[in-house]
Amino acid sequence: MKILICSDIHGSLFFTKKLQEIIKKEEPNKIIILGDLYYHGPRNPLTEEYNPMEVAKILNNLKENLIVIKGNCDAEVDEMISEFPMHEYYVMEINGKKIFFTHGHKWNKENQPEEKFDILVYGHFHTGFIEEENNKIFLNPGSISLPKNGTENSYAIITENEILLKNLNGKIIKKLDID
């Protein structure tokens, strides 16, 4: 199992096309987008090639392999142009590890969900990292289009035995073995 995780596209057609290239290269079994798909939000600048409708068309073409979490910038109208459901959170198990996926504005390292998990995966902060604390792993894939705090545009990969944080060229920023 190979899962590609990205977050915070914020309507960027340019970076959605980059995501398509990454998907072709990585060949994941599933793609998880941690929210904030179309709207840039009042605190963010317009993204490169801001075009939410074209982003929706590309994501709709990926719907068979897509799991999408609803972010704080995603609204009911966004769900109307999306041919896939948007979940508040999503839980899956890989190699005995329970993974909790969320956007990050409600649940994150500082405000953890009540549901038990081994790995908490969230976006929202636009800052990529992999951290371990109290036998739990915290993963933020960063933002594919609007990185903050000096971090790179990034995404993450989870397999049965490792977590990778990568920049858009595929260079590994950080790696964590999880077997």
Side-chain angles (χ1 to χ4, degrees):
M1 174 68 77
K2 183 178 189 180
I3 301 170
L4 186 148
I5 305 148
C6 72
S7 191
D8 298 280
I9 298 170
H10 288 290
S12 174
L13 181 58
F14 178 84
F15 286 104
T16 303
K17 288 178 181 176
K18 290 277 187 200
L19 176 61
Q20 283 183 298
E21 293 170 15
I22 291 166
I23 290 166
K24 284 181 185 171
K25 187 174 76 175
E26 294 281 1
E27 298 181 341
N29 302 99
K30 286 285 177 199
I31 303 152
I32 298 179
I33 303 176
L34 300 174
D36 289 358
L37 280 67
Y38 308 126
Y39 180 53
H40 63 90
R43 296 177 299 164
N44 298 310
L46 285 175
T47 54
E48 192 167 348
E49 294 181 28
Y50 183 70
N51 192 333
M53 283 303 295
E54 289 302 312
V55 170
K57 287 178 187 174
I58 291 170
L59 296 181
N60 286 336
N61 286 331
L62 298 170
K63 67 185 171 190
E64 299 303 318
N65 292 324
L66 207 57
I67 298 169
V68 177
I69 308 301
K70 188 174 185 175
N72 62 308
C73 289
D74 298 318
E76 188 176 329
V77 69
D78 298 322
E79 294 180 87
M80 294 169 70
I81 64 168
S82 303
E83 297 173 8
F84 44 82
M86 290 188 189
H87 307 276
E88 184 176 359
Y89 65 91
Y90 192 84
V91 178
M92 73 168 49
E93 191 171 305
I94 297 178
N95 201 24
K97 304 273 187 202
K98 188 172 184 180
I99 307 172
F100 189 101
F101 297 91
T102 186
H103 178 63
H105 64 297
K106 292 180 183 176
W107 299 298
N108 52 59
K109 185 177 175 185
E110 285 71 41
N111 187 33
Q112 297 175 22
E114 289 185 21
E115 187 166 340
K116 292 187 181 203
F117 64 87
D118 298 297
I119 304 170
L120 179 62
V121 183
Y122 60 95
H124 181 64
F125 295 97
H126 298 224
T127 303
F129 61 80
I130 305 170
E131 297 176 356
E132 290 181 277
E133 188 175 294
N134 299 325
N135 295 319
K136 294 180 179 180
I137 298 169
F138 301 91
L139 167 63
N140 190 314
S143 173
I144 199 155
S145 67
L146 289 171
K148 294 182 179 178
N149 302 316
T151 60
E152 296 183 66
N153 301 67
S154 57
Y155 66 98
I157 297 288
I158 296 180
T159 66
E160 286 87 0
N161 52 16
E162 66 184 0
I163 299 174
L164 302 168
L165 180 64
K166 294 183 168 188
N167 71 15
L168 300 192
N169 295 321
K171 178 183 169 233
I172 297 172
I173 298 168
K174 188 160 184 182
K175 176 181 175 180
L176 179 67
D177 293 326
I178 57 171
D179 11 342

